[in-house]
Amino acid sequence: MTANATNGFLLRSGEWHNHFQLNPLSIVVVNLMPTKEATERQFLTQFNQLDHDVDITFIYPATHHFKGTPFSVISRVYQSLVEIEGQTFDGVIITGAPVEQLPFQQVDYWEEFQTICDWAERHAHQTLLECWAAQAGLYHDFAITKHPVNHKIFGIYQADQLAPELANDFGAGGLLKMPQSRHTNSDIDPQRLPGDLQIVASNNQIGPLILQSNQHHRTYITGHPEYEVDTLASEYYRDRKKRLPIRQPLHYFNHNGEINFSWKTSSNIIYQNWLHAFALQKVGN
């Protein structure tokens, strides 16, 4: 199947080519990452490998003060919530963002983030929030706070506990693996989860990897399953060049110094399961 872009930098530059589709699923990606083109490519490439056609529309937070890409360029290439707020979509994805060390209320687009979350509940079947967006969504939906960690959570982490219904997908040994890259962790007590929040997959060292809320129609993913094979390496060498305190990403390089792309299958299953959650609803409409 194929993933088409309705807008974005890669479509505009001709780096991504659309193909004929039949009744595709419609997905909004709120791209909060500073590496706009790389993030577009990650999601388009990822969904291009799955068994549903998808149309991806990229949007941006209009209240954000962009440092790299000029606002005038973003507004021409992406859409804002105001431009699509009357439409309905099958799914919404909100990416991570390099603002995790700020209190939520100090993020310049915090109010807009909350508005997008509330809009998504009314205008999409399911929402998927990743990394910072997952932490922010847990705070917005359940008042779950976050705290800084002593050392950056950085590398590939495997699920030690997995919901029984996923055992057949990932294997009884918990073979779900996921890239992580963050300086904070959410304050989640597995024994006292608020509302209908459920932990789907977790790691003994860093806690939940995937959580879900049926009430809010949301999946919260604490890492970056969309990451390409060399994304963590790029972050690692970037931080070393800046002389920032950084350790090699765990379980990422093998003994020869080569990258072990161990999370590829897991990522495919994660996104495929998410699409299945609302693909049947589209067929029934």
Side-chain angles (χ1 to χ4, degrees), residues 200-241:
V200 177
S202 63
N203 174 274
N204 290 337
Q205 184 179 355
I206 63 171
L209 302 177
I210 303 175
L211 306 97
Q212 288 181 337
S213 167
N214 291 329
Q215 175 188 349
H216 293 286
H217 311 291
R218 280 203 240 286
T219 299
Y220 313 84
I221 295 182
T222 63
H224 288 277
E226 84 281 4
Y227 270 8
E228 296 171 309
V229 61
D230 61 348
T231 306
L232 288 183
S234 297
E235 292 183 5
Y236 172 62
Y237 293 120
R238 176 203 65 198
D239 287 357
R240 284 189 59 182
K241 186 176 181 180

Side-chain angles (χ1 to χ4, degrees), residues 57-68:
T57 298
F58 294 98
I59 76 170
Y60 69 101
T63 51
H64 180 44
H65 299 287
F66 293 92
K67 294 180 180 179

Side-chain angles (χ1 to χ4, degrees), residues 98-138:
V99 295
E100 60 183 280
Q101 293 176 287
L102 291 175
F104 294 121
Q105 292 83 358
Q106 289 185 18
V107 175
D108 60 3
Y109 51 83
W110 173 243
E111 293 297 329
E112 186 175 3
F113 171 84
Q114 295 182 94
T115 300
I116 291 172
C117 286
D118 295 340
W119 169 84
E121 281 195 60
R122 302 188 303 271
H123 290 263
H125 293 308
Q126 292 285 331
T127 308
L128 189 153
L129 302 96
E130 297 193 355
C131 201
W132 175 84
Q135 294 182 340
L138 290 169

